[in-house]
C-alpha cells in the first residue's frame, strides 16, 4: 500500500501504530499492533483497531 505508515511507540518497545488511507473514502485507518519475539522471528501477538 502506498499510504502505509508504521510508527514505533516510544513508551512500549513491542507496540507499533499502523496507519493507511482507505482509497474510496480517503479515511485514515489506524491500528495498534503488538509484536512478540518467537525464536528468531517476530510475530504479531495483538491487534487493536482504533475508533471502532
Amino acid at each position: 500500500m502506498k499510504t502505509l505508515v508504521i510508527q514505533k511507540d516510544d513508551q512500549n518497545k513491542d507496540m507499533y501504530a499502523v496507519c493507511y488511507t482507505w482509497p474510496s473514502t480517503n479515511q485514515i485507518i489506524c491500528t495498534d499492533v503488538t509484536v512478540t519475539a518467537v525464536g528468531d522471528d517476530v510475530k504479531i501477538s495483538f491487534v487493536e483497531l482504533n475508533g471502532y
Side-chain angles (χ1 to χ4, degrees):
M1 295 182 89
K2 293 179 182 179
T3 63
L4 185 68
V5 176
I6 301 170
Q7 293 182 317
K8 188 166 179 48
D9 187 327
D10 292 334
Q11 303 299 316
N12 183 340
K13 68 180 182 112
D14 297 329
M15 186 174 285
Y16 294 82
V18 179
C19 299
Y20 59 93
T21 303
W22 192 258
S24 62
T25 63
N26 287 329
Q27 178 183 8
I28 297 173
I29 308 293
C30 291
T31 303
D32 291 331
V33 176
T34 303
V35 297
T36 303
V38 178
D40 292 336
D41 296 324
V42 177
K43 308 253 180 185
I44 295 173
S45 59
F46 186 77
V47 176
E48 181 179 342
L49 185 58
N50 296 327
Y52 294 90

